[in-house]
Amino acid sequence: MTALPDRVTELVRTLRTHGLRIGPGETVDAAAALEVLGFGDRERMREGLAAALLHNEGQRAVFDPVFDLYFPLRVGAPAATGGDTADLRDRLAAALAANDQAMLGQLAAEAVDSLGGYGASPGSDGFSAHQTLDRLRPQTLLARVRASLAQGAREASFTDRLTDDEIRRRIEGFRARVGTEARRRVAERRGAEEIARRALRPTADRVDFLVAGRAQLDELRRSVHPLARKLATRLAARRRRAARGRIDLRRTLRGSLSTGGVPMRPVLRRRRPVRPELVLLCDVSGSVAGFANFTMLLVQALHDQFGKVRVFAFVNRVDEVTGLLRKGAADPAGLGERIAGEAAVTGWHGSSDYGTSLGEFAERYLDVVGPRTAVFVLGDARTNMSDPNLPALRRIAERARRVYWLNPEPASQWSTGDSAALAYAQVAEMHVCRNAHQLGGLVARLLPV
């Protein structure tokens, strides 16, 4: 049995690997909270640790399953009951009708033990929540639970209050218990840290843009302004450091004559503060649209950090969407629909064409690029077997201060299929940017000051 201080520090270490920013101060607060709350009420422990360690409610999606691994409800396998699946379903229906939380917890453990094991070794090599639920099928018990409630109700108002939505909520709660129990049982064999690393859903800022669902994209959009404030602070600090200038060697050596040739007081070249300009060129087709939309919203939130920001979107044609981005700041979820409906980004077909788009940008909008301009191209560089048009990208690079390409695909895929990433990388500085966490780091490091 792991000592309690070690278990708390292991919990914190695992949470930090999942992207939660928890420092020594929060860890000390968590230990103090446990000392005050005691260990008699597990749910009170959960809430106390959450209050000490977390910074916002969105982090509960990571914290709760990790807490269940390090502070499980029980240890070891449940006692054998000898019942079959039909008996288990009967008892589950009764527990759902009575909303007996203790019995639901016991049934979840029994179900995982009898239906969720897999492997050829004695007992089993592992436990699967999916396999357990597929065999038990608790979602099919809704009608039986409803009939049991109607039969046992003495007053009509009782059954009126307990709707089908409430029964579904109880069933979903049981399904979550099964998932927790399966992870706990595997963690006993393989270690809680390994299961926390492999089995838990990552936070939204670490989910790949290419596979992020609607709910995760919505959560990312809500994080735009907090992330922008953090990045603005970093950029302001970089700008203050850069404003100090480099050492003026000639003036420093001249001044050292009065100290016997020892440069006691280095003289710095003063820089004139000039806000840089930024141009975004974004592929808004297919699965990369979520990546482009989030980045556009982030740059719009950072617009005060730059002298000028221009944003262009393309599929196989290019159009400026700077105005759409400003007008839609209050409705970030509808940005993609506004661009598709109001901007001319597609021609006679809907597939992305980087060569044609880069060529059109070089012909129509090259005057927006100047020696103070940093150009960011956002996209996977997949040309659908069309000409990548490297000369157009070179024309842009010759006028710009720097050209960066942010690619949401891993580098191992840059030479596969119709990807022209390696060819474009000869002209532009290409970086892997697969999630919002990486994007924040790249923005803070690459954006000019």
Side-chain angles (χ1 to χ4, degrees):
M1 184 69 177
T2 306
L4 183 62
D6 294 336
R7 184 156 297 208
V8 172
T9 56
E10 289 173 3
L11 169 73
V12 170
R13 183 169 60 249
T14 301
L15 291 173
R16 293 185 65 172
T17 62
H18 281 271
L20 274 63
R21 298 178 63 87
I22 301 174
E26 289 92 340
T27 306
V28 172
D29 290 343
L34 288 182
E35 185 177 4
V36 172
L37 296 174
F39 314 107
D41 189 329
R42 180 170 175 268
E43 290 307 308
R44 188 167 61 180
M45 287 175 56
R46 180 197 301 270
E47 297 305 318
L49 287 174
L53 297 175
L54 305 186
H55 298 282
N56 59 68
E57 187 64 24
Q59 296 175 336
R60 289 299 295 257
V62 174
F63 172 82
D64 284 331
V66 174
F67 174 87
D68 289 331
L69 289 176
Y70 285 96
F71 295 90
L73 185 62
R74 62 183 67 80
V75 177
T81 60
D84 57 13
T85 304
D87 175 66
L88 195 58
R89 283 172 56 83
D90 290 341
R91 290 189 291 141
L92 176 59
L96 288 170
N99 197 21
D100 187 338
Q101 297 298 316
M103 180 57 67
L104 288 172
Q106 178 181 333
L107 291 174
E110 291 183 19
V112 170
D113 186 53
S114 60
L115 303 176
Y118 63 87
S121 63
S124 67
D125 288 331
F127 295 89
S128 167
H130 175 77
Q131 178 176 290
T132 303
L133 295 170
D134 185 60
R135 294 176 176 178
L136 189 60
R137 296 176 290 115
Q139 68 276 8
T140 64
L141 295 175
L142 189 146
R144 189 189 301 188
V145 175
R146 186 196 306 119
S148 176
L149 289 170
Q151 183 178 4
R154 298 181 179 180
E155 299 180 6
S157 59
F158 178 81
T159 55
D160 290 340
R161 289 195 305 268
L162 214 56
T163 63
D164 285 359
D165 287 342
E166 171 63 17
I167 300 174
R168 292 190 183 94
R169 186 188 64 78
R170 294 181 184 182
I171 292 174
E172 286 304 311
F174 175 77
R175 292 171 65 91
R177 285 176 179 270
V178 169
T180 299
E181 179 66 20
R183 286 193 298 269
R184 179 192 69 79
R185 298 285 295 281
V186 177
E188 286 184 10
R189 298 191 176 200
R190 302 184 186 177
E193 187 172 354
E194 179 182 352
I195 301 307
R197 185 178 69 253
R198 295 176 178 270
L200 297 185
R201 181 175 65 89
T203 54
D205 67 327
R206 294 174 185 264
V207 175
D208 281 8
F209 287 117
L210 298 182
V211 298
R214 181 180 296 274
Q216 291 163 329
L217 290 175
D218 289 341
E219 186 174 347
L220 282 178
R221 281 190 285 266
R222 289 192 293 270
S223 70
V224 162
H225 289 287
L227 178 58
R229 287 194 295 269
K230 185 185 302 182
L231 293 177
T233 301
R234 294 184 188 177
L235 291 173
R238 283 180 57 199
R239 189 171 288 119
R240 285 194 299 270
R241 290 194 298 269
R244 297 170 187 168
R246 297 182 179 180
I247 293 178
D248 187 326
L249 185 59
R250 182 176 58 85
R251 294 173 62 193
T252 299
L253 291 177
R254 182 187 300 169
S256 69
L257 296 177
S258 62
T259 57
V262 179
M264 300 295 293
R265 296 178 181 177
V267 180
L268 303 179
R269 292 191 183 100
R270 290 293 179 182
R271 290 184 55 185
R272 292 188 302 169
V274 178
R275 288 185 179 272
E277 299 175 358
L278 187 64
V279 169
L280 288 188
L281 187 56
C282 311
D283 180 1
V284 294
S285 66
S287 59
V288 297
F291 164 51
N293 292 345
F294 177 76
T295 307
M296 285 190 279
L297 291 170
L298 179 61
V299 169
Q300 172 60 25
L302 283 168
H303 71 278
D304 290 339
Q305 300 295 316
F306 306 97
K308 185 184 298 183
V309 176
R310 303 285 290 272
V311 183
F312 300 85
F314 71 90
V315 176
N316 48 60
R317 292 186 58 193
V318 176
D319 198 4
E320 184 169 8
V321 296
T322 309
L324 295 178
L325 198 60
R326 291 172 182 165
K327 293 178 182 178
D331 179 26
L335 176 60
E337 289 76 6
R338 288 194 302 276
I339 292 175
E342 302 181 39
V345 296
T346 58
W348 59 274
H349 64 88
S351 301
S352 59
D353 186 337
Y354 281 80
T356 300
S357 301
L358 289 171
E360 184 177 0
F361 180 85
E363 291 296 329
R364 297 177 54 193
Y365 301 109
L366 197 59
D367 59 329
V368 306
V369 180
R372 291 189 299 174
T373 305
V375 178
F376 279 76
V377 184
L378 313 178
D380 57 9
R382 294 200 170 270
T383 63
N384 291 299
M385 298 303 178
S386 61
D387 178 15
N389 199 355
L390 292 179
L393 184 59
R394 288 194 184 97
R395 290 179 61 192
I396 298 170
E398 288 170 358
R399 290 180 58 92
R401 178 179 178 178
R402 294 295 293 270
V403 177
Y404 301 104
W405 194 303
L406 305 186
N407 193 325
E409 288 191 339
S412 59
Q413 297 182 13
W414 289 359
S415 59
T416 62
D418 60 347
S419 175
L422 294 181
Y424 286 131
Q426 298 174 9
V427 182
E429 187 176 318
M430 189 162 294
H431 298 270
V432 175
C433 185
R434 303 185 63 185
N435 53 53
H437 178 72
Q438 286 183 336
L439 176 63
L442 286 170
V443 167
R445 180 164 58 90
L446 299 179
L447 282 180
V449 295

PDB file of all heavy atoms in Angstrom, residues 1-11 13 34 39 45 69-72 75 187-188 191-193:
ATOM      1  N   MET A   1       0.848  -1.189   0.000  1.00  0.00           N
ATOM      2  CA  MET A   1       0.000   0.000   0.000  1.00  0.00           C
ATOM      3  C   MET A   1       0.890   1.248   0.000  1.00  0.00           C
ATOM      4  O   MET A   1       1.754   1.398   0.858  1.00  0.00           O
ATOM      5  CB  MET A   1      -0.921   0.012   1.224  1.00  0.00           C
ATOM      6  CG  MET A   1      -1.909   1.166   1.247  1.00  0.00           C
ATOM      7  SD  MET A   1      -3.167   0.993  -0.035  1.00  0.00           S
ATOM      8  CE  MET A   1      -4.198   2.413   0.325  1.00  0.00           C
ATOM      9  N   THR A   2       0.700   2.131  -0.960  1.00  0.00           N
ATOM     10  CA  THR A   2       1.510   3.337  -1.064  1.00  0.00           C
ATOM     11  C   THR A   2       1.180   4.293   0.075  1.00  0.00           C
ATOM     12  O   THR A   2       0.022   4.483   0.421  1.00  0.00           O
ATOM     13  CB  THR A   2       1.256   4.028  -2.407  1.00  0.00           C
ATOM     14  OG1 THR A   2       1.462   3.088  -3.454  1.00  0.00           O
ATOM     15  CG2 THR A   2       2.184   5.201  -2.599  1.00  0.00           C
ATOM     16  N   ALA A   3       2.215   4.875   0.686  1.00  0.00           N
ATOM     17  CA  ALA A   3       2.007   5.861   1.749  1.00  0.00           C
ATOM     18  C   ALA A   3       1.224   7.047   1.201  1.00  0.00           C
ATOM     19  O   ALA A   3       1.351   7.403   0.028  1.00  0.00           O
ATOM     20  CB  ALA A   3       3.349   6.312   2.321  1.00  0.00           C
ATOM     21  N   LEU A   4       0.432   7.678   2.081  1.00  0.00           N
ATOM     22  CA  LEU A   4      -0.446   8.750   1.634  1.00  0.00           C
ATOM     23  C   LEU A   4       0.308   9.924   1.007  1.00  0.00           C
ATOM     24  O   LEU A   4      -0.082  10.408  -0.054  1.00  0.00           O
ATOM     25  CB  LEU A   4      -1.303   9.223   2.809  1.00  0.00           C
ATOM     26  CG  LEU A   4      -2.330  10.310   2.452  1.00  0.00           C
ATOM     27  CD1 LEU A   4      -3.328   9.789   1.438  1.00  0.00           C
ATOM     28  CD2 LEU A   4      -3.043  10.794   3.707  1.00  0.00           C
ATOM     29  N   PRO A   5       1.411  10.429   1.605  1.00  0.00           N
ATOM     30  CA  PRO A   5       2.128  11.535   0.940  1.00  0.00           C
ATOM     31  C   PRO A   5       2.615  11.155  -0.460  1.00  0.00           C
ATOM     32  O   PRO A   5       2.541  11.965  -1.386  1.00  0.00           O
ATOM     33  CB  PRO A   5       3.298  11.810   1.893  1.00  0.00           C
ATOM     34  CG  PRO A   5       2.847  11.305   3.215  1.00  0.00           C
ATOM     35  CD  PRO A   5       2.004  10.104   2.912  1.00  0.00           C
ATOM     36  N   ASP A   6       3.100   9.918  -0.600  1.00  0.00           N
ATOM     37  CA  ASP A   6       3.543   9.473  -1.921  1.00  0.00           C
ATOM     38  C   ASP A   6       2.380   9.406  -2.896  1.00  0.00           C
ATOM     39  O   ASP A   6       2.514   9.738  -4.076  1.00  0.00           O
ATOM     40  CB  ASP A   6       4.215   8.107  -1.831  1.00  0.00           C
ATOM     41  CG  ASP A   6       5.522   8.151  -1.043  1.00  0.00           C
ATOM     42  OD1 ASP A   6       6.107   9.250  -0.972  1.00  0.00           O
ATOM     43  OD2 ASP A   6       5.938   7.113  -0.510  1.00  0.00           O
ATOM     44  N   ARG A   7       1.212   8.977  -2.398  1.00  0.00           N
ATOM     45  CA  ARG A   7       0.054   8.869  -3.287  1.00  0.00           C
ATOM     46  C   ARG A   7      -0.403  10.250  -3.758  1.00  0.00           C
ATOM     47  O   ARG A   7      -0.782  10.424  -4.914  1.00  0.00           O
ATOM     48  CB  ARG A   7      -1.085   8.150  -2.554  1.00  0.00           C
ATOM     49  CG  ARG A   7      -2.296   7.897  -3.411  1.00  0.00           C
ATOM     50  CD  ARG A   7      -3.104   6.743  -2.893  1.00  0.00           C
ATOM     51  NE  ARG A   7      -2.352   5.509  -2.926  1.00  0.00           N
ATOM     52  CZ  ARG A   7      -2.908   4.302  -3.042  1.00  0.00           C
ATOM     53  NH1 ARG A   7      -4.201   4.199  -3.146  1.00  0.00           N
ATOM     54  NH2 ARG A   7      -2.173   3.210  -3.044  1.00  0.00           N
ATOM     55  N   VAL A   8      -0.339  11.237  -2.878  1.00  0.00           N
ATOM     56  CA  VAL A   8      -0.720  12.596  -3.284  1.00  0.00           C
ATOM     57  C   VAL A   8       0.251  13.132  -4.328  1.00  0.00           C
ATOM     58  O   VAL A   8      -0.158  13.725  -5.336  1.00  0.00           O
ATOM     59  CB  VAL A   8      -0.777  13.526  -2.050  1.00  0.00           C
ATOM     60  CG1 VAL A   8      -0.984  14.974  -2.483  1.00  0.00           C
ATOM     61  CG2 VAL A   8      -1.896  13.098  -1.114  1.00  0.00           C
ATOM     62  N   THR A   9       1.541  12.939  -4.102  1.00  0.00           N
ATOM     63  CA  THR A   9       2.523  13.437  -5.075  1.00  0.00           C
ATOM     64  C   THR A   9       2.425  12.695  -6.400  1.00  0.00           C
ATOM     65  O   THR A   9       2.611  13.293  -7.462  1.00  0.00           O
ATOM     66  CB  THR A   9       3.949  13.320  -4.511  1.00  0.00           C
ATOM     67  OG1 THR A   9       4.208  11.954  -4.136  1.00  0.00           O
ATOM     68  CG2 THR A   9       4.127  14.223  -3.307  1.00  0.00           C
ATOM     69  N   GLU A  10       2.105  11.391  -6.366  1.00  0.00           N
ATOM     70  CA  GLU A  10       1.909  10.648  -7.615  1.00  0.00           C
ATOM     71  C   GLU A  10       0.681  11.158  -8.356  1.00  0.00           C
ATOM     72  O   GLU A  10       0.684  11.277  -9.591  1.00  0.00           O
ATOM     73  CB  GLU A  10       1.766   9.156  -7.313  1.00  0.00           C
ATOM     74  CG  GLU A  10       3.063   8.491  -6.869  1.00  0.00           C
ATOM     75  CD  GLU A  10       2.845   7.069  -6.417  1.00  0.00           C
ATOM     76  OE1 GLU A  10       1.689   6.586  -6.515  1.00  0.00           O
ATOM     77  OE2 GLU A  10       3.809   6.426  -5.950  1.00  0.00           O
ATOM     78  N   LEU A  11      -0.378  11.462  -7.610  1.00  0.00           N
ATOM     79  CA  LEU A  11      -1.581  12.040  -8.217  1.00  0.00           C
ATOM     80  C   LEU A  11      -1.242  13.350  -8.912  1.00  0.00           C
ATOM     81  O   LEU A  11      -1.634  13.581 -10.069  1.00  0.00           O
ATOM     82  CB  LEU A  11      -2.644  12.256  -7.136  1.00  0.00           C
ATOM     83  CG  LEU A  11      -3.877  13.084  -7.542  1.00  0.00           C
ATOM     84  CD1 LEU A  11      -4.763  12.265  -8.466  1.00  0.00           C
ATOM     85  CD2 LEU A  11      -4.664  13.520  -6.314  1.00  0.00           C
ATOM     86  N   ARG A  13       1.710  14.408  -9.974  1.00  0.00           N
ATOM     87  CA  ARG A  13       2.602  14.175 -11.116  1.00  0.00           C
ATOM     88  C   ARG A  13       1.817  13.703 -12.335  1.00  0.00           C
ATOM     89  O   ARG A  13       2.064  14.151 -13.460  1.00  0.00           O
ATOM     90  CB  ARG A  13       3.667  13.154 -10.741  1.00  0.00           C
ATOM     91  CG  ARG A  13       4.680  12.907 -11.862  1.00  0.00           C
ATOM     92  CD  ARG A  13       5.879  12.104 -11.412  1.00  0.00           C
ATOM     93  NE  ARG A  13       5.504  10.802 -10.905  1.00  0.00           N
ATOM     94  CZ  ARG A  13       5.606  10.447  -9.621  1.00  0.00           C
ATOM     95  NH1 ARG A  13       6.070  11.304  -8.734  1.00  0.00           N
ATOM     96  NH2 ARG A  13       5.259   9.243  -9.227  1.00  0.00           N
ATOM     97  N   LEU A  34      -6.346  17.393   3.067  1.00  0.00           N
ATOM     98  CA  LEU A  34      -6.594  16.021   3.518  1.00  0.00           C
ATOM     99  C   LEU A  34      -6.435  15.898   5.030  1.00  0.00           C
ATOM    100  O   LEU A  34      -7.170  15.148   5.679  1.00  0.00           O
ATOM    101  CB  LEU A  34      -5.637  15.065   2.808  1.00  0.00           C
ATOM    102  CG  LEU A  34      -5.906  14.794   1.332  1.00  0.00           C
ATOM    103  CD1 LEU A  34      -4.894  13.798   0.784  1.00  0.00           C
ATOM    104  CD2 LEU A  34      -7.318  14.261   1.127  1.00  0.00           C
ATOM    105  N   PHE A  39     -10.168  10.976   6.194  1.00  0.00           N
ATOM    106  CA  PHE A  39     -10.292   9.981   5.137  1.00  0.00           C
ATOM    107  C   PHE A  39     -11.560   9.152   5.250  1.00  0.00           C
ATOM    108  O   PHE A  39     -11.705   8.137   4.567  1.00  0.00           O
ATOM    109  CB  PHE A  39      -9.068   9.053   5.166  1.00  0.00           C
ATOM    110  CG  PHE A  39      -7.773   9.801   5.293  1.00  0.00           C
ATOM    111  CD1 PHE A  39      -7.051   9.794   6.476  1.00  0.00           C
ATOM    112  CD2 PHE A  39      -7.296  10.555   4.231  1.00  0.00           C
ATOM    113  CE1 PHE A  39      -5.875  10.505   6.601  1.00  0.00           C
ATOM    114  CE2 PHE A  39      -6.119  11.275   4.349  1.00  0.00           C
ATOM    115  CZ  PHE A  39      -5.412  11.247   5.531  1.00  0.00           C
ATOM    116  N   MET A  45     -13.120  13.920   0.274  1.00  0.00           N
ATOM    117  CA  MET A  45     -11.705  13.976  -0.100  1.00  0.00           C
ATOM    118  C   MET A  45     -11.548  14.445  -1.545  1.00  0.00           C
ATOM    119  O   MET A  45     -10.698  15.274  -1.856  1.00  0.00           O
ATOM    120  CB  MET A  45     -11.060  12.596   0.050  1.00  0.00           C
ATOM    121  CG  MET A  45     -10.821  12.148   1.472  1.00  0.00           C
ATOM    122  SD  MET A  45     -10.201  10.446   1.512  1.00  0.00           S
ATOM    123  CE  MET A  45      -8.759  10.568   0.455  1.00  0.00           C
ATOM    124  N   LEU A  69      -8.259   6.417  -9.743  1.00  0.00           N
ATOM    125  CA  LEU A  69      -7.171   5.452  -9.841  1.00  0.00           C
ATOM    126  C   LEU A  69      -6.297   5.460  -8.593  1.00  0.00           C
ATOM    127  O   LEU A  69      -5.864   4.396  -8.122  1.00  0.00           O
ATOM    128  CB  LEU A  69      -6.306   5.759 -11.066  1.00  0.00           C
ATOM    129  CG  LEU A  69      -6.928   5.466 -12.440  1.00  0.00           C
ATOM    130  CD1 LEU A  69      -5.987   5.924 -13.531  1.00  0.00           C
ATOM    131  CD2 LEU A  69      -7.235   3.987 -12.587  1.00  0.00           C
ATOM    132  N   TYR A  70      -6.029   6.634  -8.047  1.00  0.00           N
ATOM    133  CA  TYR A  70      -5.121   6.735  -6.909  1.00  0.00           C
ATOM    134  C   TYR A  70      -5.833   6.614  -5.558  1.00  0.00           C
ATOM    135  O   TYR A  70      -5.196   6.297  -4.553  1.00  0.00           O
ATOM    136  CB  TYR A  70      -4.341   8.043  -6.972  1.00  0.00           C
ATOM    137  CG  TYR A  70      -3.256   8.022  -8.017  1.00  0.00           C
ATOM    138  CD1 TYR A  70      -3.472   8.548  -9.280  1.00  0.00           C
ATOM    139  CD2 TYR A  70      -2.019   7.439  -7.756  1.00  0.00           C
ATOM    140  CE1 TYR A  70      -2.485   8.513 -10.246  1.00  0.00           C
ATOM    141  CE2 TYR A  70      -1.021   7.403  -8.707  1.00  0.00           C
ATOM    142  CZ  TYR A  70      -1.266   7.942  -9.958  1.00  0.00           C
ATOM    143  OH  TYR A  70      -0.280   7.908 -10.914  1.00  0.00           O
ATOM    144  N   PHE A  71      -7.133   6.868  -5.532  1.00  0.00           N
ATOM    145  CA  PHE A  71      -7.923   6.713  -4.304  1.00  0.00           C
ATOM    146  C   PHE A  71      -9.159   5.876  -4.640  1.00  0.00           C
ATOM    147  O   PHE A  71     -10.277   6.382  -4.666  1.00  0.00           O
ATOM    148  CB  PHE A  71      -8.328   8.081  -3.736  1.00  0.00           C
ATOM    149  CG  PHE A  71      -7.166   8.910  -3.282  1.00  0.00           C
ATOM    150  CD1 PHE A  71      -6.537   9.781  -4.167  1.00  0.00           C
ATOM    151  CD2 PHE A  71      -6.684   8.818  -1.991  1.00  0.00           C
ATOM    152  CE1 PHE A  71      -5.454  10.556  -3.759  1.00  0.00           C
ATOM    153  CE2 PHE A  71      -5.602   9.591  -1.574  1.00  0.00           C
ATOM    154  CZ  PHE A  71      -4.982  10.452  -2.462  1.00  0.00           C
ATOM    155  N   PRO A  72      -8.974   4.582  -4.931  1.00  0.00           N
ATOM    156  CA  PRO A  72     -10.108   3.748  -5.378  1.00  0.00           C
ATOM    157  C   PRO A  72     -11.104   3.495  -4.258  1.00  0.00           C
ATOM    158  O   PRO A  72     -10.770   3.564  -3.068  1.00  0.00           O
ATOM    159  CB  PRO A  72      -9.426   2.455  -5.838  1.00  0.00           C
ATOM    160  CG  PRO A  72      -8.172   2.393  -5.029  1.00  0.00           C
ATOM    161  CD  PRO A  72      -7.719   3.821  -4.866  1.00  0.00           C
ATOM    162  N   VAL A  75     -10.315  -2.183  -3.147  1.00  0.00           N
ATOM    163  CA  VAL A  75      -9.118  -2.801  -3.701  1.00  0.00           C
ATOM    164  C   VAL A  75      -9.367  -4.292  -3.844  1.00  0.00           C
ATOM    165  O   VAL A  75      -9.942  -4.914  -2.954  1.00  0.00           O
ATOM    166  CB  VAL A  75      -7.884  -2.553  -2.797  1.00  0.00           C
ATOM    167  CG1 VAL A  75      -6.664  -3.261  -3.352  1.00  0.00           C
ATOM    168  CG2 VAL A  75      -7.620  -1.066  -2.672  1.00  0.00           C
ATOM    169  N   ALA A 187      -5.360  -1.071 -13.192  1.00  0.00           N
ATOM    170  CA  ALA A 187      -4.318  -0.312 -12.500  1.00  0.00           C
ATOM    171  C   ALA A 187      -3.694  -1.115 -11.366  1.00  0.00           C
ATOM    172  O   ALA A 187      -2.500  -0.952 -11.062  1.00  0.00           O
ATOM    173  CB  ALA A 187      -4.905   0.996 -11.959  1.00  0.00           C
ATOM    174  N   GLU A 188      -4.456  -2.001 -10.724  1.00  0.00           N
ATOM    175  CA  GLU A 188      -3.899  -2.834  -9.668  1.00  0.00           C
ATOM    176  C   GLU A 188      -2.795  -3.734 -10.207  1.00  0.00           C
ATOM    177  O   GLU A 188      -1.838  -4.057  -9.501  1.00  0.00           O
ATOM    178  CB  GLU A 188      -5.003  -3.698  -9.038  1.00  0.00           C
ATOM    179  CG  GLU A 188      -5.948  -2.924  -8.144  1.00  0.00           C
ATOM    180  CD  GLU A 188      -6.957  -3.852  -7.488  1.00  0.00           C
ATOM    181  OE1 GLU A 188      -6.794  -5.084  -7.583  1.00  0.00           O
ATOM    182  OE2 GLU A 188      -7.913  -3.347  -6.885  1.00  0.00           O
ATOM    183  N   GLY A 191      -0.234  -0.767 -12.633  1.00  0.00           N
ATOM    184  CA  GLY A 191       0.191   0.496 -12.049  1.00  0.00           C
ATOM    185  C   GLY A 191      -0.713   1.640 -12.476  1.00  0.00           C
ATOM    186  O   GLY A 191      -1.071   1.761 -13.653  1.00  0.00           O
ATOM    187  N   ALA A 192      -1.052   2.483 -11.523  1.00  0.00           N
ATOM    188  CA  ALA A 192      -1.993   3.575 -11.801  1.00  0.00           C
ATOM    189  C   ALA A 192      -1.406   4.579 -12.790  1.00  0.00           C
ATOM    190  O   ALA A 192      -2.125   5.126 -13.628  1.00  0.00           O
ATOM    191  CB  ALA A 192      -2.381   4.277 -10.494  1.00  0.00           C
ATOM    192  N   GLU A 193      -0.089   4.819 -12.703  1.00  0.00           N
ATOM    193  CA  GLU A 193       0.510   5.834 -13.570  1.00  0.00           C
ATOM    194  C   GLU A 193       0.420   5.435 -15.044  1.00  0.00           C
ATOM    195  O   GLU A 193       0.114   6.265 -15.900  1.00  0.00           O
ATOM    196  CB  GLU A 193       1.966   6.055 -13.172  1.00  0.00           C
ATOM    197  CG  GLU A 193       2.629   7.212 -13.899  1.00  0.00           C
ATOM    198  CD  GLU A 193       4.002   7.529 -13.346  1.00  0.00           C
ATOM    199  OE1 GLU A 193       4.374   6.921 -12.317  1.00  0.00           O
ATOM    200  OE2 GLU A 193       4.689   8.375 -13.925  1.00  0.00           O
TER     201      GLU A 193
END
